[in-house]
Amino acid sequence: MPESLSAHAELEHERAYVAGLYRRLEELRAEKQEQLARVRGSGAVGSMQNISERDAFATMYEDRLAQLNAVDDRLVFGRLDLDDGDRRYIGRIGLSTADLQQLMVDWRAPEAGAFYQATAFERLGVRRRRHLILQGHQVKGIEDDVLDSTMLTDGESLQGEGALLAALNSKRTGAMSDIVGTIQAEQDRIIRAPMPGILVVQGGPGTGKTAVALHRAAYLLYSHRERLKSAGVLLVGPSNSFMKYIERVLPSLGETGVVMSTLGGLMPGVRAVPETNPAVAEIKGRLSMVDVVANAVANRQRLPAEPRKLNVEGTILTLTPRQVARARDRARATGKPHNAARVTFVKILLRELTDQLREALEASSGAGNNADRAYLAEDVRTSRDVRVALNLAWMPLTPEKLIGELLSKPAHLEAAAPDLTEAERNLLLRAADAAWTEADVPLLDEAAELLGEMDASAGRDRAQQDADRARDIANAEQSLRNVDQSLRDIGINGLVSAEDLAGYNQTQQNRLTAAERAAGDRTWAFGHIVVDEAQELSAMQWRLLMRRCPLKSFTVVGDIAQTSSPAGAESWQQALEPFAGKRWQLEELTVNYRTPSQIAQAAVRMANAAGQVVSAPKAVRDGRWQPIVDRVPAGRMIEHLLEVMPEEIEAANGGLLAVIAADHQLPEVRSALAAVYAQRVGGGAGGLEQDISVLGPQEAKGLEFDAVVVLEPGELLHRTGGRVGDLYVAMTRPTQRLRLLAEGEVPEGIEG
């Protein structure tokens, strides 16, 4: 058969097979939908065991249906032809026929590992690895890696990493194209590494760090399902734009139970904004802020300067500094958080003041008066003078109130942070109503740990809960009376109490996934945490994350060379050893799949010239263009940008174009571009309708674009105190073309 016909026949065969996979997917969806509807329609009838089984099946069908609905895009991406003649299709989930004949293997299953690990030198029983390129449900192309030379016919040659390079040369769409079909052996080794301990994945731009992190999260959820389905996985990213960029990747791999958050979202009820002042971020990120927050809490446990007179129903009592000091010491000795220890503090002083009141009343009424004085304790507790005095000495606090006052009241800050210089304290001070920033979140978390829960309702919430519970039990008792004869008939009357039934009903009404519960619980202990762009984290942010995973099971992904935050790490040792000692392992990604070699080399030269040694992964792609540098006359930056935009848009060829500039330039740049290109101008990762993205280097972290225009590279280099991070990040975002516009100095090394 002629080669062209053979290739056509192969393509038609794959199209037919993939169409069959999608038909089977639809059959399974319909089957689970029918089963779910049937279970839901059965109602709460039968024995308690039957009801429990019904809800368990409903949960199972709901979860499976959610998974089946999430994998529609690029359901299958590969095929293995094995030495024994078998063919094994690899996809996002496993699929079988109704009689359990395997149609497709889940990419995380052990038998799929050879798809990523096999090479021509170590075939692992694989003769050919086929990449299926899908658009929607349709197979648009095939690319083969022939690993067994006996399969080759005359004129054919081994095909290397063509599928990967084709994927990387494709246009950006604003949603990350997960590279599950093109993960290479070094990436696969890291993805499948054991879960315990801290695994650091260091890699330069374009090495697939984010893809590795996401696929590792999916792999761990698959291979450690029993452990992680209850504890959950936390995935931390650098920005909201980044989280939007990756939000479809894990669901497309068949996983929906992951908590994804920025560091600013890890304090329930707080949605923090970026910290705009790098110097402030650096101070708040220091580990010494642990002592500052502890001092702030201790300083709210005050001793009065002198005895205080208290009026209780017309009787004057005296609260002495010595009494307060003794109660404070005993409360602190409990080791409980501030708000819980306050209960002990208050009980001690209320008892002493009640005794004092009793003695005063007995003295005034004469000896031998033994009237019942049980009401005295309530009189003391409800006295306004007593409440004010006890609150002044030991006020119940929320983290927001403690940190808010610490950062807005000079006297509070000076008392809690004597080791900071006056200039540093002045940097930290801000308005009382200022928005919370990402650098504040670790301080709030530290305060929450030291303060504990606060019952602001003074027991009213508990009373309401008790009343609701009593009502539910009463309803349950009536229900059991109604079905008493039925329970007797099946021999289980008396086995189910009203309390059991009320608790069961409450549990069913509030059923949440582990991920949903974890997202709203600051004290949740995750089974594993994945951190992307981890080089930017401050010591206080690391402390927060370590608290979230007591077992210290982490996948840490980043590139020290891209550190731009003054609070970030200069080495992985500096970042991790304060919390984990030597108990972490370093893996390095060595191949740059994204960035054309000309652009990658210019970025490395720039970093080296600035005095920073960076890892330089091997770039496997040569681009069409060298980096372009335009020297712009003073005052003509925006005008020149508008002049070159048509050329850059044409070079992007329908893909995404990013304009990256310092934050203070962004409003003017967005306004000028929007006046010409209207709705095409957006932010973050862009999209199909917004193919021009205007953003700063911090927001650009982790993102990629077909073409990038960088404004004032010299400013990006110098604004971070000599660190190359912002400029290095900006220069390494493009997959095709880079242009730099400079009114000022062009950093050394860029032009070779």
Side-chain angles (χ1 to χ4, degrees):
M1 183 182 294
E3 183 180 342
S4 59
L5 293 179
S6 175
H8 177 74
E10 287 286 336
L11 182 61
E12 289 303 314
H13 169 81
E14 299 299 0
R15 285 175 173 170
Y17 194 90
V18 170
L21 291 176
Y22 274 106
R23 283 195 300 273
R24 180 56 180 158
L25 181 66
E26 287 300 324
E27 290 172 3
L28 289 173
R29 286 171 176 166
E31 175 185 302
K32 297 308 170 189
Q33 192 66 57
E34 180 185 352
Q35 291 170 330
L36 180 60
R38 190 164 59 245
V39 167
R40 283 175 173 168
S42 65
V45 297
S47 68
M48 291 304 299
Q49 179 178 349
N50 289 342
I51 294 173
S52 178
E53 289 177 353
R54 181 208 64 181
D55 287 311
F57 276 113
T59 299
M60 180 179 68
Y61 296 146
E62 287 169 356
D63 291 346
R64 180 59 171 166
L65 195 56
Q67 185 189 52
L68 293 173
N69 288 333
V71 298
D72 192 74
D73 187 34
R74 299 184 305 281
L75 173 66
V76 56
F77 50 80
R79 188 184 93 185
L80 293 177
D81 293 354
L82 305 177
D83 285 341
D84 60 9
D86 282 350
R87 289 179 175 176
R88 185 179 298 163
Y89 283 82
I90 312 297
R92 309 203 177 283
I93 58 173
L95 283 180
S96 299
T97 63
D99 59 355
L100 302 183
Q101 296 296 312
Q102 188 178 70
L103 297 173
M104 183 171 70
V105 177
D106 190 302
W107 73 274
R108 293 154 296 190
E111 56 266 39
F115 186 81
Y116 309 109
Q117 295 167 327
T119 68
F121 303 102
E122 189 174 356
R123 294 195 297 109
L124 302 178
V126 177
R127 304 189 71 200
R128 174 170 55 189
R129 172 173 49 219
R130 169 164 290 178
H131 303 272
L132 303 177
I133 303 168
L134 270 65
Q135 184 177 3
H137 292 191
Q138 181 78 15
V139 179
K140 290 296 184 181
I142 298 171
E143 231 178 288
D144 286 336
D145 295 339
V146 180
L147 307 184
D148 181 359
S149 59
T150 63
M151 292 185 67
L152 297 176
T153 59
D154 291 342
E156 289 184 318
S157 61
L158 290 175
Q159 304 300 307
E161 297 169 345
L164 177 62
L165 299 183
L168 291 165
N169 281 308
S170 65
K171 299 179 181 65
R172 308 302 102 189
T173 64
M176 183 179 182
S177 297
D178 58 279
I179 62 165
V180 69
T182 48
I183 295 171
Q184 303 303 293
E186 71 172 7
Q187 296 172 322
D188 185 69
R189 185 185 69 252
I190 295 169
I191 288 168
R192 297 170 192 267
M195 184 170 71
I198 299 176
L199 176 66
V200 178
V201 184
Q202 160 73 34
T207 54
K209 299 185 297 297
T210 296
V212 168
L214 296 174
H215 288 83
R216 177 161 170 77
Y219 173 74
L220 292 177
L221 281 165
Y222 181 85
S223 56
H224 299 273
R225 189 169 300 278
E226 287 305 311
R227 173 177 165 184
L228 293 179
K229 73 178 181 181
S230 58
V233 170
L234 172 64
L235 195 153
V236 180
S239 67
N240 289 327
S241 295
F242 177 83
M243 302 312 291
K244 182 179 179 181
Y245 180 55
I246 66 172
E247 64 186 2
R248 281 294 299 160
V249 174
L250 280 172
S252 75
L253 297 175
E255 296 299 349
T256 56
V258 180
V259 177
M260 297 196 294
S261 176
T262 64
L263 282 159
L266 288 179
M267 185 74 183
V270 172
R271 284 297 171 262
V273 300
E275 182 67 71
T276 57
N277 189 326
V280 172
E282 189 276 325
I283 297 170
K284 291 179 180 178
R286 297 175 188 172
L287 206 54
S288 59
M289 291 301 291
V290 171
D291 295 330
V292 173
V293 177
N295 291 341
V297 174
N299 291 344
R300 305 305 286 270
Q301 301 164 4
R302 306 182 180 109
L303 299 179
E306 56 188 21
R308 185 182 179 96
K309 300 300 183 181
L310 309 175
N311 188 326
V312 179
E313 297 292 329
T315 301
I316 302 302
L317 307 181
T318 302
L319 182 66
T320 68
R322 183 177 179 183
Q323 286 176 301
V324 175
R326 186 167 58 245
R328 184 184 68 175
D329 291 345
R330 290 175 61 183
R332 286 177 173 177
T334 64
K336 295 178 180 178
H338 172 92
N339 290 325
R342 181 181 182 273
V343 175
T344 300
F345 174 81
V346 169
K347 283 182 178 179
I348 292 171
L349 290 183
L350 286 180
R351 186 169 59 246
E352 291 188 6
L353 291 172
T354 300
D355 291 343
Q356 190 180 144
L357 177 61
R358 180 180 293 107
E359 291 170 2
L361 291 177
E362 289 177 354
S364 65
S365 61
N369 187 335
N370 294 319
D372 183 13
R373 307 287 188 182
Y375 64 88
L376 296 182
E378 184 65 13
D379 287 347
V380 171
R381 189 185 68 80
T382 58
S383 165
R384 181 182 183 281
D385 279 8
V386 171
R387 293 201 310 272
V388 170
L390 296 186
N391 282 339
L392 286 173
W394 195 309
M395 175 75 79
L397 291 166
T398 64
E400 291 83 356
K401 182 175 178 61
L402 179 80
I403 301 302
E405 293 185 352
L406 175 68
L407 298 178
S408 63
K409 296 186 175 183
H412 285 216
L413 185 57
E414 183 177 0
D419 293 336
L420 292 180
T421 66
E422 183 179 356
E424 288 173 330
R425 290 197 296 271
N426 288 336
L427 276 173
L428 293 182
L429 287 172
R430 66 188 191 191
D433 60 351
W436 295 113
T437 71
E438 291 175 350
D440 292 330
V441 169
L443 306 184
L444 291 167
D445 189 72
E446 191 71 25
E449 196 73 10
L450 296 176
L451 294 174
E453 295 296 325
M454 185 179 77
D455 182 11
S457 67
R460 290 190 298 276
D461 288 348
R462 174 59 65 184
Q464 183 62 49
Q465 291 171 9
D466 291 344
D468 292 343
R469 175 71 174 166
R471 181 202 62 210
D472 292 343
I473 290 176
N475 291 338
E477 287 174 342
Q478 183 60 49
S479 297
L480 289 175
R481 284 194 292 271
N482 292 340
V483 297
D484 178 69
Q485 188 57 52
S486 297
L487 296 178
R488 289 179 182 278
D489 291 343
I490 59 178
I492 65 168
N493 59 306
L495 295 182
V496 179
S497 69
E499 289 81 1
D500 292 337
L501 184 57
Y504 176 83
N505 289 337
Q506 184 179 28
T507 298
Q508 292 307 303
Q509 291 167 6
N510 297 292
R511 186 174 69 84
L512 298 174
T513 67
E516 290 168 331
R517 297 197 308 274
D521 184 354
R522 188 196 66 83
T523 63
W524 188 273
F526 288 94
H528 191 79
I529 296 180
V530 179
V531 189
D532 203 355
E533 299 294 344
Q535 74 279 352
E536 299 296 334
L537 270 61
S538 70
M540 286 298 292
Q541 289 169 330
W542 277 117
R543 181 176 171 88
L544 179 156
L545 291 180
M546 293 292 172
R547 186 177 285 134
R548 295 292 194 278
C549 187
L551 294 177
K552 292 185 173 56
S553 178
F554 281 77
T555 300
V556 175
V557 181
D559 179 15
I560 292 297
Q562 295 185 53
T563 304
S564 55
S565 169
E570 295 182 358
S571 69
W572 294 118
Q573 291 89 338
Q574 178 199 47
L576 297 173
E577 288 189 0
F579 309 100
K582 303 291 185 181
R583 298 185 299 278
W584 56 277
Q585 174 187 349
L586 178 67
E587 292 278 0
E588 187 155 6
L589 295 170
T590 61
V591 180
N592 182 340
Y593 299 105
R594 179 184 68 212
T595 315
S597 59
Q598 300 94 319
I599 296 174
Q601 290 164 9
V604 170
R605 288 196 307 268
M606 178 277 300
N608 291 341
Q612 183 161 350
V613 177
V614 301
S615 59
K618 178 184 177 182
V620 297
R621 301 171 55 233
D622 287 327
R624 294 173 55 192
W625 297 281
Q626 293 287 340
I628 302 167
V629 179
D630 292 353
R631 286 174 167 79
V632 182
R636 292 196 67 247
M637 177 61 73
I638 299 299
E639 183 180 348
H640 187 78
L641 172 63
L642 294 176
E643 289 173 359
V644 302
M645 282 295 291
E647 181 183 346
E648 295 306 309
I649 292 171
E650 182 180 358
N653 191 27
L656 288 177
L657 169 64
V659 178
I660 301 178
D663 291 342
H664 71 87
Q665 293 179 293
L666 296 179
E668 183 182 8
V669 174
R670 286 195 184 105
S671 178
L673 290 175
V676 178
Y677 298 101
Q679 309 256 339
R680 293 176 63 182
V681 179
L688 292 173
E689 296 180 356
Q690 294 185 326
D691 60 343
I692 302 172
S693 182
V694 180
L695 69 171
Q698 291 294 311
E699 194 178 8
K701 282 185 181 293
L703 307 183
E704 60 184 41
F705 304 91
D706 296 276
V708 170
V709 178
V710 179
L711 306 190
E712 291 297 358
E715 181 177 354
L716 296 185
L717 177 61
H718 295 304
R719 68 183 291 273
T720 52
R723 290 191 174 189
V724 303
D726 277 359
L727 181 54
Y728 191 69
V729 167
M731 290 182 64
T732 54
R733 296 309 93 197
T735 64
Q736 305 294 334
R737 178 176 166 106
L738 172 66
R739 190 172 199 141
L740 303 102
L741 311 186
E743 287 185 13
E745 173 190 357
V746 176
E748 185 181 348
I750 291 178
E751 296 179 286

